[in-house]
Amino acid sequence: MSAVHDPHRGSISLSIIIPIFNEEEVLPVLVGRLRPVLDGCDEPYEVLAVDDGSTDKTPRLLEDLRTTWPQLRIVALRRNSGHQAALTAGLHRARGAYVISMDADLQDPPEVIPDMLALARADGLDVVYGVRTDRSTDTGFKRRTAAGYYWLMRRLAGSYVPAEAGDFRLLTRPVVETLKALPEQQRIYRLLIPWLGFPSGQVTYQRAERVAGTTKYPLHKMVLLALDSITSFSAVPLRLATALGAFSLVICLGFLTWTLVVYATGSTLPGWTSLITTILFFGAVQLFCVGMLGEYVARIYTAVQARPTYYVARDTGEEQQ
């Protein structure tokens, strides 16, 4: 499927999706850098600020900003639904021929947006990834965990997953419509979009420090993202559980043979340590396998419920129509 042509004059050419959660300190800086870039693109555009249930001054600041920035569109969710759900809400409501998603913290620079558009049009691409070539502003722990995540995803989900590409990307309208048609609820877009196989390219940049506020992706959320990524795109954990079961069976047969030999030679001795070690080992293996099965069953349960991952309380774009 080829990239879309330039839209007719007067229609929305470019949509920017920004999931936002408690970013009152970031918003003024974000607008100060993003608006000049978009105004300079000479494209009819809209900015979808998806408020993911913020509890600080973010909703009020967005309303104030909208009075002086007519292209700003507020999509307010009823509760905090998570980053990927907020992205989904934005993708389902974006009207642009080209749709770019980015975070509010400005670690991914908006100044790269014109380069993404130019590359998509010049090479007829449907997807342009923003790829971080320099993460020196991140902590050592963050760099190592991110490298480990992408290393694992490329081996489990496939080599088509671009390394160091997060949720800063450009999509054409055909890609957006394809994503909207998918029935999945647990969406990990950094894996799902490469899996679709649309023609893609990359724009590289240096990852900056967060301009203000605190990270909205602490360690426990990164662990959950990794777990969702693995269980959504690979059955390897289930096969690992099977392999552990087979390995345990071999160990059991070995212990059984050893027990029979000792019994036959009359050398049986009390073996409290070996008994406890054996019980703990097999108990741990069984719990691991049951837990892994439980993760997949939980996702089946969620899919059967078919509950929406988000609810929109308000969309100022619909109010203007």
Side-chain angles (χ1 to χ4, degrees), residues 292-304:
M292 193 57 63
L293 288 170
E295 288 292 333
Y296 283 89
V297 171
R299 278 152 180 77
I300 295 173
Y301 176 67
T302 301
V304 170

Side-chain angles (χ1 to χ4, degrees), residues 63 75 77 83 256 304:
E63 291 292 344
V75 178
L77 305 187
H83 186 264
L256 177 61
V304 170

Side-chain angles (χ1 to χ4, degrees), residues 17-91:
I17 301 172
I18 310 176
I20 297 175
F21 177 64
N22 290 347
E23 296 286 10
E24 62 180 3
E25 299 177 44
V26 170
L27 282 177
V29 186
L30 171 65
V31 173
R33 284 181 56 182
L34 179 60
R35 186 172 184 179
V37 171
L38 298 179
D39 289 343
C41 288
D42 194 26
E43 306 272 354
Y45 71 88
E46 64 175 357
V47 177
L48 282 79
V50 184
D51 181 11
D52 190 19
S54 296
T55 56
D56 62 357
K57 297 178 182 178
T58 295
R60 190 176 70 187
L61 286 175
L62 287 173
E63 291 292 344
D64 292 341
L65 290 168
R66 197 168 72 90
T67 60
T68 57
W69 194 9
Q71 291 89 352
L72 180 61
R73 178 179 169 191
I74 303 172
V75 178
L77 305 187
R78 291 192 179 277
R79 61 176 179 82
N80 181 247
S81 302
H83 186 264
Q84 297 300 301
L87 274 178
T88 302
L91 286 171

Side-chain angles (χ1 to χ4, degrees), residues 127-153:
V127 183
V128 177
Y129 299 103
V131 176
R132 308 146 182 163
T133 57
D134 185 348
R135 303 188 64 146
S136 58
T137 56
D138 289 339
T139 64
F141 176 77
K142 177 68 174 179
R143 290 196 300 271
R144 287 190 291 271
T145 53
Y149 171 82
Y150 287 108
W151 177 87
L152 183 61
M153 290 305 103

Side-chain angles (χ1 to χ4, degrees), residues 228-250:
D228 286 340
S229 300
I230 293 170
T231 53
S232 296
F233 278 85
S234 177
V236 169
L238 291 176
R239 298 190 182 107
L240 177 61
T242 302
L244 283 173
F247 174 73
S248 300
L249 177 61
V250 172

